Amino acid sequence: MNLRQIGLPLFILSGFAVLVGNSYAQQKSPIIDTHIHYSHDAWEIFPPAKAIALLRQAGLKKAFVSSSNDDGTMMLHAQAPDFIVPVLRPYRRRGELRTWMHDPASLENVKTRLQPGLHRGIGEFHAYGDDINTDVLRGVIALAKEHDLFLHAHSDAEAVDLIFEQDPTARVLWAHSGFDDPEDVMVMLEKHDNLWADLAFRTDHAGNGKVDDDWRVLFEKYPDRMMIGTDTYTPERWPYVVAQAAWSRGWLDDLPADVAQKIAWENAENLLQARRKTDD
């Protein structure tokens, strides 16, 4: 398996070679990766013990894991219950991203699978705009409210707004920061106090160990609201976890130490410890 086959951008890997001498990378400062998937097509290539070993090789403090179906998450959690944070994905199998919100069986699957006290969130789920107004999404949002779970939403800004319209007390982790520009992400964070955003599958915020100027403004204005993520949505992405963590340590070192620590892991811990605010 060569570098191109496992899907690692060569500029990141070459950056990793530079970052090994960097103090932040050398110390393997803690990182919590908030966007890991372990779906059925990864189980044979990366059995649970091998998958956990890769996550630990990356020097992660914890990993938020979801999978299609939830069996994958439970297998990893059984291997490392102190390390894996289970997040319940609504999908029973691959291929449901665009249909699950119209299928009542998806909601029943969530209700059946959900283990309050074990699962800490619901997601990552894909929903855009008016998808949030479907009966299935309304049911998911209500379940998250009932059990005080966060929602990991791969959504546009309109959908995020609609989640908070339905439940102003919701806690939402916005997958990929909506793939929006930092200025637009800043608008959303200003609008919603209970919104956090991950940086999974993004490289526009940094390069060559330096943080982009526009993203720096965002990070320093909202240091409590951003998190690290990889997104292992296919088996080929799993080896990327190690390089992603090393690359992240490089650009985090370009931020003030307190800001870097918050983004690297403290914000994720705080999301887990946060409790729902009452409607009043």
Side-chain angles (χ1 to χ4, degrees), residues 36-48 51 65-76 89-97 113 232-236 238:
I36 296 292
H37 300 303
Y38 186 58
S39 297
H40 56 82
D41 50 359
W43 302 347
E44 184 175 345
I45 303 170
F46 299 100
V65 178
S66 64
S67 58
S68 308
N69 58 42
D70 191 52
D71 288 350
T73 300
M74 292 298 100
M75 285 191 287
L76 290 193
R89 204 167 202 198
Y91 311 150
R92 295 157 295 176
R93 63 187 71 86
R94 284 202 179 278
E96 296 186 335
L97 312 163
R113 290 274 190 170
T232 53
Y233 67 93
T234 64
E236 292 80 12
W238 264 87

Side-chain angles (χ1 to χ4, degrees), residues 99-126:
T99 60
W100 76 277
M101 71 288 293
H102 304 293
D103 184 355
S106 297
L107 179 57
E108 289 307 310
N109 179 58
V110 174
K111 290 178 178 178
T112 299
R113 290 274 190 170
L114 180 60
Q115 298 183 55
L118 179 61
H119 290 107
R120 307 301 299 275
I122 300 177
E124 173 210 21
F125 59 79
H126 295 68

Side-chain angles (χ1 to χ4, degrees), residues 16 25 27-33 36 51-62 83 230 238-247 249:
F16 174 59
Q27 294 169 13
K28 276 201 173 177
S29 298
I31 284 177
I32 293 180
D33 194 310
I36 296 292
I52 293 292
L54 263 176
L55 297 174
R56 292 198 186 279
Q57 183 184 343
L60 301 184
K61 182 180 174 70
K62 286 181 182 173
F83 180 60
T230 298
W238 264 87
Y240 187 65
V241 174
V242 177
Q244 172 74 11
W247 179 72
R249 289 185 179 97

